[in-house]
Amino acid sequence: MNKRIQNMADNRAKLITAARKAFAEKGYTGASMDDLTADAGLTRGALYHNFGDKRGLLAAVVEQIDSDMAMRAHAIGAKEQDEFQALLAEGAAYIRMALEPEVQRIVLLDGPAVLGDPSQWPSQSSCLQATRITIERLIAQGVIKTVDAEAAARLLSGAALNAALWIAASPNPQDVMPKAIEAFKLLASGLLKHDS
Amino acid sequence: MNKRIQNMADNRAKLITAARKAFAEKGYTGASMDDLTADAGLTRGALYHNFGDKRGLLAAVVEQIDSDMAMRAHAIGAKEQDEFQALLAEGAAYIRMALEPEVQRIVLLDGPAVLGDPSQWPSQSSCLQATRITIERLIAQGVIKTVDAEAAARLLSGAALNAALWIAASPNPQDVMPKAIEAFKLLASGLLKHDS
DNA sequence: AAATTGACATACGCCTCGTATGTTATTATC
DNA sequence: GATAATAACATACGAGGCGTATGTCAATTT
């Protein structure tokens, strides 16, 4: 029963899936809503009914990817014993994830350009929140210096983002990746109370 | 004599000026080429003849702003005696400049989304180059640890960029600005050989 | 002075977005 | 269980923007 809400949820999922592909491949502006809805076996009518407009669709896609990223990063960080090592591991994980075209194109390039500051997205950027919480814990533990956790999280994620852009655009990503991660760890170590 | 190339240069300048305003106010996508050319007292014909297409116009605008920024930042850094203090001052200057709507909207948001990675722009991102050179000098002087200068410059500028986005989007910029700059200095200090 | 160049204007077609209006299956009501 | 109402989605329409193809006239050349 309640076949309608079930169908609606299915169609929403279909549209988001098609949009992820279209946005990743052609970028936000380059993606045609007629094309991507047809790809999902629907029309623009469904899209506007479910998401309001093209931006709304992008917001839904971003939320999904961002939530995925936060889960993956958290899982990677959880493997580390040391909390600070977990922070570094999460950062490195973000850098690696940011190499995926879907993440880079949709979340890192078009997302901010179309939706504005990530901290004010509907999803409120799960990645950012996770990093901030980790930093707050490290401050409480006395491992890193007293600093505004939000600020530190923003700067670290920004550093990771640009590292990823650089790596992805470089002709030999495998070569520059370790340099970027090394630099990232160095910057992050600036937060430590005692030099390692 | 050579009235033609003079006129052409004038028209190019007019178009870039009008485009700076239009892009800053309405964003790249939101800016109409008919409107901004009319604003400059010309038509789209002049625009396509001079810049090829809309992207070409954005590239020209970005180059101009980027070059301005590098000059301003360099002037600010040059006031410092200590080279490392100069790096910090330049970073803080970038953060402050990134608060200007023109810089933020055009160079930091639409620029990467439309033109791709800044290090591969025609202008090659003067800001990035300047930071890299400063870092290379500091490495040579033995002030900061041996690190890939390009990587460190990219991450620092990325951190500054996100700091600016955060500040600009916050309801009370004056309040979060010092936090951002403090966090930036902390991260940068991670590059130092000896803890300060 | 006539011819040529080219910087720019004009005109056209295509595509895309958003809205307004239908249509039909599903659910609610009696 | 039949009818009415709802809403999810499709279809149709209009407006605007980009890029190109063509036209025009001033400036330079010969």
Side-chain angles (χ1 to χ4, degrees):
Chain A
M1 57 172 175
N2 261 5
K3 196 172 175 182
R4 294 188 75 154
I5 63 171
Q6 180 58 38
N7 252 333
M8 196 171 174
D10 287 352
N11 286 337
R12 275 183 63 97
K14 282 185 200 168
L15 288 171
I16 291 180
T17 300
R20 276 180 77 149
K21 205 193 307 184
F23 288 157
E25 287 173 359
K26 317 195 170 190
Y28 175 76
T29 305
S32 158
M33 310 188 56
D34 281 315
D35 291 352
L36 77 86
T37 49
D39 228 48
L42 297 164
T43 69
R44 280 212 329 275
L47 200 159
Y48 278 94
H49 190 75
N50 278 291
F51 300 100
D53 60 356
K54 201 179 182 182
R55 281 188 56 182
L57 177 62
L58 177 64
V61 169
V62 161
E63 182 170 351
Q64 193 183 74
I65 299 180
D66 180 60
S67 147
D68 284 354
M69 290 174 68
M71 277 183 58
R72 291 165 59 189
H74 182 71
I76 290 173
K79 290 181 185 170
E80 302 286 332
Q81 301 291 15
D82 187 350
E83 281 260 14
F84 185 72
Q85 289 302 321
L87 180 66
L88 295 184
E90 279 180 26
Y94 281 135
I95 292 178
R96 277 186 225 99
M97 284 191 287
L99 294 179
E100 301 164 18
E102 213 182 35
V103 171
Q104 183 163 137
R105 180 79 250 178
I106 300 177
V107 179
L108 306 179
L109 290 178
D110 287 334
V114 176
L115 303 174
D117 186 69
S119 66
Q120 305 197 340
W121 292 352
S123 68
Q124 209 176 352
S125 196
S126 310
C127 295
L128 225 52
Q129 270 194 326
T131 305
R132 182 174 53 75
I133 289 171
T134 301
I135 290 176
E136 280 168 355
R137 213 162 26 216
L138 284 165
I139 294 175
Q141 293 175 4
V143 177
I144 67 177
K145 294 173 181 163
T146 302
V147 61
D148 189 83
E150 174 92 18
R154 300 280 319 213
L155 300 208
L156 276 182
S157 85
L161 149 60
N162 267 51
L165 283 181
W166 175 47
I167 296 169
S170 84
N172 43 353
Q174 283 77 353
D175 207 37
V176 299
M177 168 87 81
K179 296 179 185 171
I181 292 182
E182 175 64 23
F184 179 82
K185 290 184 177 175
L186 230 53
L187 289 182
S189 75
L191 298 175
L192 283 172
K193 269 193 175 171
H194 308 290
D195 241 358
S196 56
Chain B
M1 56 172 177
N2 262 2
K3 195 171 175 183
R4 293 188 75 154
I5 64 170
Q6 180 59 38
N7 251 334
M8 198 172 173
D10 288 352
N11 286 338
R12 276 183 61 98
K14 282 185 200 167
L15 288 171
I16 290 180
T17 301
R20 275 180 77 149
K21 205 194 306 180
F23 288 159
E25 287 174 358
K26 316 193 171 192
Y28 176 76
T29 305
S32 159
M33 310 187 56
D34 283 314
D35 290 354
L36 76 87
T37 50
D39 228 47
L42 297 165
T43 69
R44 281 213 326 276
L47 200 158
Y48 279 93
H49 190 74
N50 278 291
F51 301 100
D53 60 355
K54 200 179 183 183
R55 282 188 56 182
L57 177 61
L58 177 63
V61 169
V62 161
E63 182 170 352
Q64 194 184 74
I65 299 179
D66 180 59
S67 147
D68 283 354
M69 288 174 67
M71 280 183 55
R72 290 165 61 188
H74 182 72
I76 289 173
K79 291 181 184 170
E80 303 286 335
Q81 302 291 15
D82 186 350
E83 281 260 14
F84 186 72
Q85 289 301 320
L87 180 66
L88 295 184
E90 279 181 25
Y94 282 135
I95 292 178
R96 277 186 226 99
M97 283 190 287
L99 293 179
E100 301 164 17
E102 214 181 33
V103 171
Q104 183 163 138
R105 179 81 249 177
I106 300 177
V107 179
L108 306 180
L109 289 179
D110 287 334
V114 176
L115 304 174
D117 186 69
S119 66
Q120 305 197 338
W121 290 353
S123 67
Q124 212 177 351
S125 196
S126 311
C127 295
L128 225 51
Q129 269 194 326
T131 305
R132 182 173 54 74
I133 290 170
T134 302
I135 289 176
E136 280 167 356
R137 211 162 27 218
L138 284 167
I139 294 175
Q141 292 175 5
V143 176
I144 66 177
K145 295 173 182 163
T146 301
V147 62
D148 189 82
E150 174 91 19
R154 301 277 323 210
L155 299 208
L156 275 182
S157 86
L161 149 59
N162 267 52
L165 282 182
W166 175 47
I167 296 168
S170 83
N172 43 352
Q174 282 76 354
D175 206 35
V176 299
M177 167 86 83
K179 295 179 186 174
I181 292 183
E182 174 65 23
F184 179 82
K185 290 184 176 175
L186 231 50
L187 289 182
S189 75
L191 297 176
L192 283 173
K193 269 194 176 169
H194 309 289
D195 241 1
S196 57

